[in-house]
Amino acid sequence: MTRRLYLYPVWIRIWHVINAILFLILIFTGVSMQFAGSGGEFSLIRFDQAVAWHNVSAIILTFNYVVFIIGNVATTNSRHYRIKKENFWADLFAQLKFYAFGMFKKEKHPFPVTYEQKFNPLQKISYVLAMYVGMPVLIITGFGLLFPEILVQQFFGVSGLLITDILHITMGFILSVFMLIHIYTCTLGDKPATLFKSMISGYHEEHE
Amino acid sequence: MKIALALIASFFSVVLITENNGPVLQDPDQVLQIQKGIDNNLFAEDNEKCLVCHGEPYFELADTATGVIRNRLMCDDYHVDRDEFYQSNHWSFACTDCHSYDFEIFPHPVSTRLEEPYHCNDCHGYDEQYARYQFEEIQIEYEESVHAEIDGFSCWKCHDPHSYEINIRNSTSLGKTILYDNNICLECHANFDNFQLLTDKEEIKVIDSHGWLPNQSAHFTSVRCIECHTGINESILVAHKLLPKDKAVKRCTECHSSESRLLATLYKFQSKEFRADVGFINGIILNQSYVIGANRNIILNVLSFIIFAGVILVIVVHLFFRIIRRA
Ligand code: HEM
């Protein structure tokens, strides 16, 4: 028996695929700029092209992010992003324990996917942090670098641009690590490809 | 004349040092400490003979025969600003050190007006006191620059005789120095009136010809024109060999990289003193600018590498157990 649940509405799927592609471009061009070498010994892509691609992708990403926010305000998808205080740490720990030991002992999922709850506690907290803390910081600092005239010139004697940039690359790095873990945990479904299929078809599938 | 000037100059340093009440110093760096300004210029009174007209927005045109006096505008190009002049490098001069005494006659005779001005090296060449500026090397570089071919061009065109002040060498604000240095170029390259005096060429719109450079205003306020338009010269602080436009720096990574040429140009003075071997982070750059690709924080880089490797390791180990346990 397969249980099918429609959990990923079309707009989420479109948002997500655009988001993922732009993120890959942004990481690629961002790393290329950060480690640019003058002789081309480490230039993934020409610097000026990297800048152009990075800027254009970032602007589209920002619009896309707004779509995500509006979508989650306007639809019931937001129910999956509400963090409950009770049992917060205990639930998180239970999920971690499952990933670390339980799943190897063929234990049952501590938080089975339901219509009410498509994310397990670990997914939930990481998505909330990524989408509501990481992305805003990344976008705001990114726009600061694009329009440096809006930045504070000096902050306790250190260039505002430097602080902004450090924040930007640090957050970019953290979100890149998030993405790596995210992609890996997405292979932890019923079968390794199950969750990716859900993100395409919209349906969550599970053998009873 | 030259000897007379040299005498005047050395006489000055002596007089001014003794006036300073400090120990008698020969170090030119210390001579610099002398308070500039109209009060310490010994010829200030004589200079007023010229500045009555050249220091004011208008002058009195008088007919000695009829006694008629009329006010006439002193056009901006002949205006010499007192404050700027007495703060400039040549603040201690009399106008007539550089200009003929015949300028005391008005209207100025044509022969006087066409007098060849001094060259910088008439006074500064092979002078030990100015050895650190390397005027001779600058002269050689200038002669190979694109401007040198232009009839009527000279060092004075960039070093305004009445306001030029050394800047980057004593700079406390990189931003102000960049503004000062770029304004030198923009005097002609953003002001067609001055440009056309020297060439028949069409006006060059600097904004347009640099359209390929993104964040133009950020660049023009954080680098100087000469960063891209001159070759690198290790032995002088400010390179003077302006190359033809097709040799100008266009590759972004010349600056945006760990081997940034800015270290050999704009940040030369500072980088020699502060640059740490491990990275690029140093006082001046930390505080005043951030150059993508050039500023690298070694600690952050290493840290990010360790975190990244750690995550990969965890994933690989997890994957390994999934495979052998078929989970
Ligand atoms: C190539 C890169 C990516 C792949 C293959 C991928 C894959 C997936 C998959 C299979 C899901 C469905 C499973 C689940 O709901 O947990 C998902 C959901 C999600 N992903 Fe990704 N992802 C990628 C990049 C990203 C990035 C860069 C972000 C954010 C910065 C992100 C944020 C999310 C969020 C918030 C959800 C939940 C959406 C919802 O249903 O409300 N993903 N991703």
Side-chain angles (χ1 to χ4, degrees), chain A residues 169-198:
Chain A
I169 52 178
T170 306
M171 198 43 89
F173 172 76
I174 292 173
L175 283 178
S176 307
V177 171
F178 156 80
M179 186 166 122
L180 190 69
I181 300 171
H182 171 61
I183 295 174
Y184 181 69
T185 52
C186 285
T187 66
L188 297 175
D190 218 23
K191 295 212 186 75
T194 312
L195 291 180
F196 296 102
K197 280 187 195 143
S198 321

Side-chain angles (χ1 to χ4, degrees), chain A residues 7-9 11-13 15-24 27 61 65 68 72 77-78 80-81 118-120 123-124 126-128 130-132 134-135 138 175-176 178-180 182-187 192-200 204:
Chain A
L7 287 181
Y8 305 100
W11 70 266
I12 266 283
R13 283 180 274 152
W15 163 77
H16 187 266
V17 71
I18 295 176
N19 190 57
I21 292 169
L22 291 175
F23 229 81
L24 290 174
I27 291 175
L61 183 89
Y65 180 70
F68 177 86
N72 271 320
N77 195 54
S78 56
H80 302 295
Y81 290 87
K118 74 173 158 185
F119 303 143
N120 67 46
Q123 277 174 317
K124 189 185 279 184
S126 64
Y127 292 165
V128 166
M131 297 314 298
Y132 293 106
M135 292 288 275
L138 196 63
L175 283 178
S176 307
F178 156 80
M179 186 166 122
L180 190 69
H182 171 61
I183 295 174
Y184 181 69
T185 52
C186 285
T187 66
T194 312
L195 291 180
F196 296 102
K197 280 187 195 143
S198 321
M199 227 354 162
I200 296 168
H204 176 82

Side-chain angles (χ1 to χ4, degrees), chain A residues 27 31 172-181, chain B residues 300-315:
Chain A
I27 291 175
V31 167
F173 172 76
I174 292 173
L175 283 178
S176 307
V177 171
F178 156 80
M179 186 166 122
L180 190 69
I181 300 171
Chain B
L300 278 186
N301 276 359
V302 170
L303 196 70
S304 63
F305 183 77
I306 292 173
I307 295 175
F308 201 76
V311 169
I312 298 273
L313 189 73
V314 169
I315 289 179

